[in-house]
């Protein structure tokens, strides 16, 4: 099973780039778009091979311009159920979108996936993740994926769940950046965290947008994780 994530900085503005990336044989079972800037009442675009998108609308776009859209490839036998979605989790500015994802007829691929977006300088990220962990995740195999706006290159000891989860590096390499700003500074702020029952490696981040594109303040790489079957307990 393969899951992808891209903080796209405006789905409408970069729809064709994403469509080009997804064109051809299906390369993802689940693909999520962060900072989609999809407002309530506006339909998200559809892509070949994916079912109707699940949308967390950006009702507070004047504050943080967020919004998450999740695409699931049911043609690959993947099913999903929305457990929780909230653009401002329990009064914070943290956006969360929690899904239960499984592959038909193969429970070893079943897990919960939490997509997270933390706006710059937003507080209580660790409290939010800890609260969701206690309520929904601690008895499951799970992934946490998203833009944390916490640079792991500058903060190598950071762990949002105090050691209960592991960061999934690119093929064992540390400090592979996932974001470059206009000044050329590289940071690792798009994270993939896994419970210890998920054994994987994630692919090299891959950019579709060129640096310095006019009108683009910053851009993120696409990150993707390939899931192996969970070990039986």
């Amino acid at each position: 099973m393969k899951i992808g994530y891209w903080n796209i900085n405006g789905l409408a503005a970069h729809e064709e780039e994403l469509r080009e990336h997804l064109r051809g044989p299906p390369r993802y079972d689940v693909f999520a778009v962060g900072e989609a800037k999809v407002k309530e009442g506006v339909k998200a675009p559809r892509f070949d091979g994916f079912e109707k998108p699940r949308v967390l609308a950006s009702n507070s776009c004047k504050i943080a311009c967020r919004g998450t859209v999740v695409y699931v490839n049911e043609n690959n036998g993947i099913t999903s159920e929305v457990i929780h979605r909230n653009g401002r989790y329990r009064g914070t500015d943290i956006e969360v979108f929690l899904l239960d994802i499984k592959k038909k007829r193969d429970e070893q691929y079943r897990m919960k996936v939490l997509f997270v977006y933390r706006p710059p300088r937003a507080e209580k990220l660790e409290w939010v993740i800890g609260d969701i962990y206690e309520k929904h995740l601690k008895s499951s195999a799970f992934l946490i994926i998203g833009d944390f706006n916490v640079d792991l290159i500058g903060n190598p000891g950071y762990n949002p769940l105090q050691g209960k989860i592991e960061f999934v590096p690119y093929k064992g390499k540390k400090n592979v950046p996932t974001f470059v700003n206009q000044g050329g500074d590289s940071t690792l702020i798009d994270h993939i965290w896994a419970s210890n029952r998920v054994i994987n490696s994630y692919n090299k981040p891959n950019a579709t947008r060129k640096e310095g594109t006019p009108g683009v303040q910053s851009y993120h790489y696409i990150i993707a994780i390939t899931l192996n079957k969970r070990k039986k307990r």
Side-chain angles (χ1 to χ4, degrees), residues 179-187 211-212 216-219:
F179 172 85
V180 181
N181 63 24
Q182 274 192 320
D185 297 322
S186 299
T187 56
E211 294 184 48
V216 176
Q217 295 179 350
S218 59
Y219 77 97

Side-chain angles (χ1 to χ4, degrees), residues 4-29:
Y5 172 84
W6 187 14
N7 181 326
I8 202 167
N9 193 20
L11 180 52
H14 303 287
E15 177 184 339
E16 291 308 312
E17 294 167 61
L18 180 56
R19 193 173 299 280
E20 181 63 29
H21 180 71
L22 297 177
R23 185 170 285 126
R27 65 172 81 185
Y28 300 103
D29 297 293

